[in-house]
Each structure stands twice: as structure tokens, then as C-alpha cells.
Amino acid sequence: VRALTALLVRRNDHPDFYPKIKFLCCCPGWCKTEMGGDDAPLAEEEGANLPFYLASTMDSEVLLNNGEYWRDDKRLVKFGQYC
């Protein structure tokens, strides 16, 4: 997912054509879903908080880090950095 995000940034991060598009990837955390199972600590709604936040925020830290990966605790993880 991170490699695809980086590729999308390289191919589409052109200020003249796509000035308002950002490419971000995130991990919503371990959520209670069919895949996550009943032991997961987060509800589905809690898992949706981060993608919604990234898609709707005007936070400069998010906007200035196009192509980066975000953890479920809203922590930025730079490429090559251990999660």
C-alpha cells in the first residue's frame, strides 16, 4: 500500500493539474469486523475515524505530508521508519 501511494504521488502530484488531491495511506487499527474478529479492541466506527480525519482535515501536518502513512493513533510514519 505504501509503494502504491508513493507511485500515485509521483505520477499525479502536479500543482497545475491536481492542486487539491492528496494521496495518503493509513492503518485504521484492529477493528471488530468479520476479518478482525470479536477480540479486536476497536469498534468499526473507531476504525473509520482516521480515514475520515485524513480526508477532511485542514491540518498542515497532514497536508504537507502527501504520500505518507498514518497509524491509527494519528501518528505519521515516514517511509522506511519502523511502525
Side-chain angles (χ1 to χ4, degrees), residues 51-77:
F52 179 79
Y53 169 76
L54 293 174
S56 61
T57 188
M58 295 305 291
D59 183 344
S60 62
E61 183 180 16
V62 174
L63 298 176
L64 293 174
N65 285 290
N66 194 19
E68 295 296 344
Y69 172 77
W70 297 82
R71 294 273 315 211
D72 55 324
D73 55 3
K74 295 184 182 170
R75 182 168 39 106
L76 172 65
V77 181

PDB file of all heavy atoms in Angstrom, residues 51-77:
ATOM      1  N   PRO A  51      -9.389   7.429   8.594  1.00  0.00           N
ATOM      2  CA  PRO A  51      -9.596   7.772   7.179  1.00  0.00           C
ATOM      3  C   PRO A  51     -10.461   9.014   6.992  1.00  0.00           C
ATOM      4  O   PRO A  51     -10.182   9.842   6.122  1.00  0.00           O
ATOM      5  CB  PRO A  51     -10.273   6.523   6.599  1.00  0.00           C
ATOM      6  CG  PRO A  51      -9.883   5.418   7.510  1.00  0.00           C
ATOM      7  CD  PRO A  51      -9.747   6.034   8.872  1.00  0.00           C
ATOM      8  N   PHE A  52     -11.494   9.156   7.819  1.00  0.00           N
ATOM      9  CA  PHE A  52     -12.341  10.348   7.725  1.00  0.00           C
ATOM     10  C   PHE A  52     -11.540  11.603   8.069  1.00  0.00           C
ATOM     11  O   PHE A  52     -11.627  12.623   7.372  1.00  0.00           O
ATOM     12  CB  PHE A  52     -13.562  10.223   8.648  1.00  0.00           C
ATOM     13  CG  PHE A  52     -14.433  11.435   8.602  1.00  0.00           C
ATOM     14  CD1 PHE A  52     -15.323  11.628   7.559  1.00  0.00           C
ATOM     15  CD2 PHE A  52     -14.345  12.410   9.585  1.00  0.00           C
ATOM     16  CE1 PHE A  52     -16.118  12.765   7.502  1.00  0.00           C
ATOM     17  CE2 PHE A  52     -15.135  13.540   9.539  1.00  0.00           C
ATOM     18  CZ  PHE A  52     -16.023  13.723   8.497  1.00  0.00           C
ATOM     19  N   TYR A  53     -10.764  11.529   9.129  1.00  0.00           N
ATOM     20  CA  TYR A  53      -9.929  12.668   9.535  1.00  0.00           C
ATOM     21  C   TYR A  53      -8.966  13.067   8.420  1.00  0.00           C
ATOM     22  O   TYR A  53      -8.858  14.242   8.070  1.00  0.00           O
ATOM     23  CB  TYR A  53      -9.162  12.308  10.809  1.00  0.00           C
ATOM     24  CG  TYR A  53      -8.080  13.297  11.167  1.00  0.00           C
ATOM     25  CD1 TYR A  53      -8.392  14.521  11.736  1.00  0.00           C
ATOM     26  CD2 TYR A  53      -6.742  13.005  10.929  1.00  0.00           C
ATOM     27  CE1 TYR A  53      -7.402  15.434  12.066  1.00  0.00           C
ATOM     28  CE2 TYR A  53      -5.750  13.907  11.250  1.00  0.00           C
ATOM     29  CZ  TYR A  53      -6.076  15.116  11.810  1.00  0.00           C
ATOM     30  OH  TYR A  53      -5.094  16.018  12.116  1.00  0.00           O
ATOM     31  N   LEU A  54      -8.272  12.095   7.845  1.00  0.00           N
ATOM     32  CA  LEU A  54      -7.295  12.394   6.792  1.00  0.00           C
ATOM     33  C   LEU A  54      -7.970  12.989   5.556  1.00  0.00           C
ATOM     34  O   LEU A  54      -7.411  13.863   4.898  1.00  0.00           O
ATOM     35  CB  LEU A  54      -6.513  11.140   6.416  1.00  0.00           C
ATOM     36  CG  LEU A  54      -5.591  10.585   7.486  1.00  0.00           C
ATOM     37  CD1 LEU A  54      -4.991   9.258   7.029  1.00  0.00           C
ATOM     38  CD2 LEU A  54      -4.498  11.571   7.854  1.00  0.00           C
ATOM     39  N   ALA A  55      -9.168  12.529   5.249  1.00  0.00           N
ATOM     40  CA  ALA A  55      -9.876  13.021   4.061  1.00  0.00           C
ATOM     41  C   ALA A  55     -10.467  14.407   4.258  1.00  0.00           C
ATOM     42  O   ALA A  55     -10.658  15.140   3.284  1.00  0.00           O
ATOM     43  CB  ALA A  55     -10.986  12.046   3.690  1.00  0.00           C
ATOM     44  N   SER A  56     -10.725  14.800   5.494  1.00  0.00           N
ATOM     45  CA  SER A  56     -11.439  16.050   5.708  1.00  0.00           C
ATOM     46  C   SER A  56     -10.659  17.137   6.452  1.00  0.00           C
ATOM     47  O   SER A  56     -11.131  18.259   6.546  1.00  0.00           O
ATOM     48  CB  SER A  56     -12.733  15.761   6.480  1.00  0.00           C
ATOM     49  OG  SER A  56     -12.436  15.196   7.743  1.00  0.00           O
ATOM     50  N   THR A  57      -9.485  16.834   6.944  1.00  0.00           N
ATOM     51  CA  THR A  57      -8.764  17.803   7.757  1.00  0.00           C
ATOM     52  C   THR A  57      -8.077  18.892   6.931  1.00  0.00           C
ATOM     53  O   THR A  57      -7.769  18.688   5.761  1.00  0.00           O
ATOM     54  CB  THR A  57      -7.706  17.098   8.629  1.00  0.00           C
ATOM     55  OG1 THR A  57      -7.157  18.058   9.547  1.00  0.00           O
ATOM     56  CG2 THR A  57      -6.566  16.535   7.790  1.00  0.00           C
ATOM     57  N   MET A  58      -7.862  19.999   7.588  1.00  0.00           N
ATOM     58  CA  MET A  58      -7.049  21.072   7.013  1.00  0.00           C
ATOM     59  C   MET A  58      -5.763  21.221   7.825  1.00  0.00           C
ATOM     60  O   MET A  58      -5.076  22.237   7.718  1.00  0.00           O
ATOM     61  CB  MET A  58      -7.837  22.387   7.007  1.00  0.00           C
ATOM     62  CG  MET A  58      -9.064  22.360   6.092  1.00  0.00           C
ATOM     63  SD  MET A  58      -8.680  21.904   4.386  1.00  0.00           S
ATOM     64  CE  MET A  58      -7.777  23.319   3.838  1.00  0.00           C
ATOM     65  N   ASP A  59      -5.445  20.222   8.617  1.00  0.00           N
ATOM     66  CA  ASP A  59      -4.239  20.208   9.449  1.00  0.00           C
ATOM     67  C   ASP A  59      -3.008  20.266   8.544  1.00  0.00           C
ATOM     68  O   ASP A  59      -2.839  19.440   7.649  1.00  0.00           O
ATOM     69  CB  ASP A  59      -4.223  18.937  10.296  1.00  0.00           C
ATOM     70  CG  ASP A  59      -3.044  18.864  11.256  1.00  0.00           C
ATOM     71  OD1 ASP A  59      -2.074  19.626  11.091  1.00  0.00           O
ATOM     72  OD2 ASP A  59      -3.109  18.030  12.174  1.00  0.00           O
ATOM     73  N   SER A  60      -2.162  21.240   8.773  1.00  0.00           N
ATOM     74  CA  SER A  60      -0.988  21.425   7.910  1.00  0.00           C
ATOM     75  C   SER A  60      -0.048  20.227   7.958  1.00  0.00           C
ATOM     76  O   SER A  60       0.611  19.928   6.966  1.00  0.00           O
ATOM     77  CB  SER A  60      -0.243  22.701   8.282  1.00  0.00           C
ATOM     78  OG  SER A  60       0.243  22.629   9.601  1.00  0.00           O
ATOM     79  N   GLU A  61       0.037  19.530   9.084  1.00  0.00           N
ATOM     80  CA  GLU A  61       0.910  18.348   9.151  1.00  0.00           C
ATOM     81  C   GLU A  61       0.455  17.285   8.149  1.00  0.00           C
ATOM     82  O   GLU A  61       1.267  16.658   7.487  1.00  0.00           O
ATOM     83  CB  GLU A  61       0.939  17.750  10.554  1.00  0.00           C
ATOM     84  CG  GLU A  61       1.906  16.579  10.647  1.00  0.00           C
ATOM     85  CD  GLU A  61       1.985  15.944  12.018  1.00  0.00           C
ATOM     86  OE1 GLU A  61       1.093  16.174  12.853  1.00  0.00           O
ATOM     87  OE2 GLU A  61       2.945  15.217  12.244  1.00  0.00           O
ATOM     88  N   VAL A  62      -0.832  17.106   8.012  1.00  0.00           N
ATOM     89  CA  VAL A  62      -1.358  16.143   7.046  1.00  0.00           C
ATOM     90  C   VAL A  62      -1.160  16.665   5.625  1.00  0.00           C
ATOM     91  O   VAL A  62      -0.655  15.959   4.751  1.00  0.00           O
ATOM     92  CB  VAL A  62      -2.853  15.852   7.308  1.00  0.00           C
ATOM     93  CG1 VAL A  62      -3.432  14.974   6.208  1.00  0.00           C
ATOM     94  CG2 VAL A  62      -3.042  15.205   8.667  1.00  0.00           C
ATOM     95  N   LEU A  63      -1.533  17.901   5.376  1.00  0.00           N
ATOM     96  CA  LEU A  63      -1.471  18.457   4.028  1.00  0.00           C
ATOM     97  C   LEU A  63      -0.052  18.556   3.486  1.00  0.00           C
ATOM     98  O   LEU A  63       0.163  18.458   2.282  1.00  0.00           O
ATOM     99  CB  LEU A  63      -2.145  19.828   4.008  1.00  0.00           C
ATOM    100  CG  LEU A  63      -3.634  19.831   4.370  1.00  0.00           C
ATOM    101  CD1 LEU A  63      -4.158  21.252   4.405  1.00  0.00           C
ATOM    102  CD2 LEU A  63      -4.440  18.966   3.428  1.00  0.00           C
ATOM    103  N   LEU A  64       0.923  18.732   4.351  1.00  0.00           N
ATOM    104  CA  LEU A  64       2.317  18.862   3.908  1.00  0.00           C
ATOM    105  C   LEU A  64       3.029  17.518   3.787  1.00  0.00           C
ATOM    106  O   LEU A  64       4.180  17.476   3.369  1.00  0.00           O
ATOM    107  CB  LEU A  64       3.090  19.766   4.873  1.00  0.00           C
ATOM    108  CG  LEU A  64       2.641  21.229   4.878  1.00  0.00           C
ATOM    109  CD1 LEU A  64       3.370  22.000   5.972  1.00  0.00           C
ATOM    110  CD2 LEU A  64       2.865  21.871   3.523  1.00  0.00           C
ATOM    111  N   ASN A  65       2.355  16.429   4.129  1.00  0.00           N
ATOM    112  CA  ASN A  65       2.981  15.105   4.067  1.00  0.00           C
ATOM    113  C   ASN A  65       2.252  14.208   3.082  1.00  0.00           C
ATOM    114  O   ASN A  65       1.829  13.098   3.407  1.00  0.00           O
ATOM    115  CB  ASN A  65       3.018  14.481   5.467  1.00  0.00           C
ATOM    116  CG  ASN A  65       4.089  15.113   6.314  1.00  0.00           C
ATOM    117  OD1 ASN A  65       5.265  14.908   6.076  1.00  0.00           O
ATOM    118  ND2 ASN A  65       3.683  15.917   7.282  1.00  0.00           N
ATOM    119  N   ASN A  66       2.113  14.692   1.857  1.00  0.00           N
ATOM    120  CA  ASN A  66       1.475  13.930   0.796  1.00  0.00           C
ATOM    121  C   ASN A  66       2.246  12.639   0.546  1.00  0.00           C
ATOM    122  O   ASN A  66       3.467  12.628   0.484  1.00  0.00           O
ATOM    123  CB  ASN A  66       1.437  14.769  -0.483  1.00  0.00           C
ATOM    124  CG  ASN A  66       0.525  14.206  -1.523  1.00  0.00           C
ATOM    125  OD1 ASN A  66      -0.354  13.399  -1.241  1.00  0.00           O
ATOM    126  ND2 ASN A  66       0.711  14.645  -2.759  1.00  0.00           N
ATOM    127  N   GLY A  67       1.521  11.535   0.448  1.00  0.00           N
ATOM    128  CA  GLY A  67       2.141  10.247   0.167  1.00  0.00           C
ATOM    129  C   GLY A  67       2.604   9.487   1.387  1.00  0.00           C
ATOM    130  O   GLY A  67       3.194   8.429   1.262  1.00  0.00           O
ATOM    131  N   GLU A  68       2.328   9.999   2.562  1.00  0.00           N
ATOM    132  CA  GLU A  68       2.820   9.354   3.784  1.00  0.00           C
ATOM    133  C   GLU A  68       1.793   8.402   4.393  1.00  0.00           C
ATOM    134  O   GLU A  68       0.633   8.360   3.997  1.00  0.00           O
ATOM    135  CB  GLU A  68       3.229  10.409   4.809  1.00  0.00           C
ATOM    136  CG  GLU A  68       4.403  11.244   4.383  1.00  0.00           C
ATOM    137  CD  GLU A  68       5.702  10.456   4.226  1.00  0.00           C
ATOM    138  OE1 GLU A  68       5.807   9.317   4.719  1.00  0.00           O
ATOM    139  OE2 GLU A  68       6.616  10.985   3.594  1.00  0.00           O
ATOM    140  N   TYR A  69       2.263   7.640   5.362  1.00  0.00           N
ATOM    141  CA  TYR A  69       1.479   6.618   6.049  1.00  0.00           C
ATOM    142  C   TYR A  69       1.150   7.085   7.459  1.00  0.00           C
ATOM    143  O   TYR A  69       2.005   7.606   8.157  1.00  0.00           O
ATOM    144  CB  TYR A  69       2.310   5.326   6.095  1.00  0.00           C
ATOM    145  CG  TYR A  69       1.727   4.228   6.928  1.00  0.00           C
ATOM    146  CD1 TYR A  69       0.672   3.456   6.456  1.00  0.00           C
ATOM    147  CD2 TYR A  69       2.246   3.938   8.182  1.00  0.00           C
ATOM    148  CE1 TYR A  69       0.148   2.438   7.225  1.00  0.00           C
ATOM    149  CE2 TYR A  69       1.727   2.911   8.954  1.00  0.00           C
ATOM    150  CZ  TYR A  69       0.674   2.172   8.461  1.00  0.00           C
ATOM    151  OH  TYR A  69       0.162   1.165   9.215  1.00  0.00           O
ATOM    152  N   TRP A  70      -0.088   6.877   7.859  1.00  0.00           N
ATOM    153  CA  TRP A  70      -0.567   7.310   9.169  1.00  0.00           C
ATOM    154  C   TRP A  70      -1.061   6.117   9.958  1.00  0.00           C
ATOM    155  O   TRP A  70      -1.774   5.267   9.437  1.00  0.00           O
ATOM    156  CB  TRP A  70      -1.697   8.324   9.001  1.00  0.00           C
ATOM    157  CG  TRP A  70      -1.228   9.552   8.316  1.00  0.00           C
ATOM    158  CD1 TRP A  70      -1.080   9.735   6.971  1.00  0.00           C
ATOM    159  CD2 TRP A  70      -0.767  10.749   8.925  1.00  0.00           C
ATOM    160  NE1 TRP A  70      -0.574  10.980   6.715  1.00  0.00           N
ATOM    161  CE2 TRP A  70      -0.381  11.628   7.903  1.00  0.00           C
ATOM    162  CE3 TRP A  70      -0.670  11.165  10.247  1.00  0.00           C
ATOM    163  CZ2 TRP A  70       0.109  12.895   8.155  1.00  0.00           C
ATOM    164  CZ3 TRP A  70      -0.189  12.438  10.499  1.00  0.00           C
ATOM    165  CH2 TRP A  70       0.197  13.289   9.457  1.00  0.00           C
ATOM    166  N   ARG A  71      -0.669   6.064  11.228  1.00  0.00           N
ATOM    167  CA  ARG A  71      -1.102   4.994  12.130  1.00  0.00           C
ATOM    168  C   ARG A  71      -2.465   5.334  12.715  1.00  0.00           C
ATOM    169  O   ARG A  71      -2.923   6.468  12.656  1.00  0.00           O
ATOM    170  CB  ARG A  71      -0.099   4.829  13.272  1.00  0.00           C
ATOM    171  CG  ARG A  71       1.266   4.338  12.878  1.00  0.00           C
ATOM    172  CD  ARG A  71       1.312   2.876  12.848  1.00  0.00           C
ATOM    173  NE  ARG A  71       0.648   2.388  14.068  1.00  0.00           N
ATOM    174  CZ  ARG A  71       0.940   1.298  14.683  1.00  0.00           C
ATOM    175  NH1 ARG A  71       1.887   0.555  14.234  1.00  0.00           N
ATOM    176  NH2 ARG A  71       0.292   0.919  15.755  1.00  0.00           N
ATOM    177  N   ASP A  72      -3.081   4.357  13.354  1.00  0.00           N
ATOM    178  CA  ASP A  72      -4.415   4.543  13.917  1.00  0.00           C
ATOM    179  C   ASP A  72      -4.457   5.563  15.048  1.00  0.00           C
ATOM    180  O   ASP A  72      -5.513   6.061  15.401  1.00  0.00           O
ATOM    181  CB  ASP A  72      -4.990   3.214  14.397  1.00  0.00           C
ATOM    182  CG  ASP A  72      -4.096   2.488  15.378  1.00  0.00           C
ATOM    183  OD1 ASP A  72      -2.867   2.549  15.236  1.00  0.00           O
ATOM    184  OD2 ASP A  72      -4.639   1.855  16.298  1.00  0.00           O
ATOM    185  N   ASP A  73      -3.310   5.922  15.598  1.00  0.00           N
ATOM    186  CA  ASP A  73      -3.272   6.955  16.647  1.00  0.00           C
ATOM    187  C   ASP A  73      -2.924   8.328  16.060  1.00  0.00           C
ATOM    188  O   ASP A  73      -2.465   9.212  16.763  1.00  0.00           O
ATOM    189  CB  ASP A  73      -2.287   6.570  17.743  1.00  0.00           C
ATOM    190  CG  ASP A  73      -0.885   6.288  17.210  1.00  0.00           C
ATOM    191  OD1 ASP A  73      -0.655   6.437  15.998  1.00  0.00           O
ATOM    192  OD2 ASP A  73      -0.028   5.902  18.010  1.00  0.00           O
ATOM    193  N   LYS A  74      -3.143   8.490  14.772  1.00  0.00           N
ATOM    194  CA  LYS A  74      -2.867   9.732  14.029  1.00  0.00           C
ATOM    195  C   LYS A  74      -1.395  10.110  14.060  1.00  0.00           C
ATOM    196  O   LYS A  74      -1.038  11.272  13.978  1.00  0.00           O
ATOM    197  CB  LYS A  74      -3.729  10.895  14.539  1.00  0.00           C
ATOM    198  CG  LYS A  74      -5.192  10.703  14.298  1.00  0.00           C
ATOM    199  CD  LYS A  74      -5.986  11.912  14.730  1.00  0.00           C
ATOM    200  CE  LYS A  74      -7.465  11.656  14.513  1.00  0.00           C
ATOM    201  NZ  LYS A  74      -8.292  12.679  15.119  1.00  0.00           N
ATOM    202  N   ARG A  75      -0.556   9.094  14.130  1.00  0.00           N
ATOM    203  CA  ARG A  75       0.887   9.323  14.148  1.00  0.00           C
ATOM    204  C   ARG A  75       1.440   9.107  12.745  1.00  0.00           C
ATOM    205  O   ARG A  75       1.172   8.090  12.104  1.00  0.00           O
ATOM    206  CB  ARG A  75       1.547   8.346  15.128  1.00  0.00           C
ATOM    207  CG  ARG A  75       3.031   8.528  15.263  1.00  0.00           C
ATOM    208  CD  ARG A  75       3.575   7.737  16.440  1.00  0.00           C
ATOM    209  NE  ARG A  75       2.972   6.436  16.601  1.00  0.00           N
ATOM    210  CZ  ARG A  75       3.576   5.293  16.305  1.00  0.00           C
ATOM    211  NH1 ARG A  75       4.792   5.277  15.842  1.00  0.00           N
ATOM    212  NH2 ARG A  75       2.948   4.145  16.492  1.00  0.00           N
ATOM    213  N   LEU A  76       2.192  10.069  12.262  1.00  0.00           N
ATOM    214  CA  LEU A  76       2.828   9.987  10.955  1.00  0.00           C
ATOM    215  C   LEU A  76       4.015   9.041  11.028  1.00  0.00           C
ATOM    216  O   LEU A  76       4.829   9.129  11.944  1.00  0.00           O
ATOM    217  CB  LEU A  76       3.302  11.379  10.528  1.00  0.00           C
ATOM    218  CG  LEU A  76       4.152  11.483   9.272  1.00  0.00           C
ATOM    219  CD1 LEU A  76       3.345  11.068   8.054  1.00  0.00           C
ATOM    220  CD2 LEU A  76       4.659  12.897   9.116  1.00  0.00           C
ATOM    221  N   VAL A  77       4.109   8.125  10.073  1.00  0.00           N
ATOM    222  CA  VAL A  77       5.233   7.198   9.992  1.00  0.00           C
ATOM    223  C   VAL A  77       5.904   7.415   8.644  1.00  0.00           C
ATOM    224  O   VAL A  77       5.335   7.112   7.609  1.00  0.00           O
ATOM    225  CB  VAL A  77       4.768   5.728  10.129  1.00  0.00           C
ATOM    226  CG1 VAL A  77       5.958   4.792  10.064  1.00  0.00           C
ATOM    227  CG2 VAL A  77       3.987   5.527  11.413  1.00  0.00           C
TER     228      VAL A  77
END
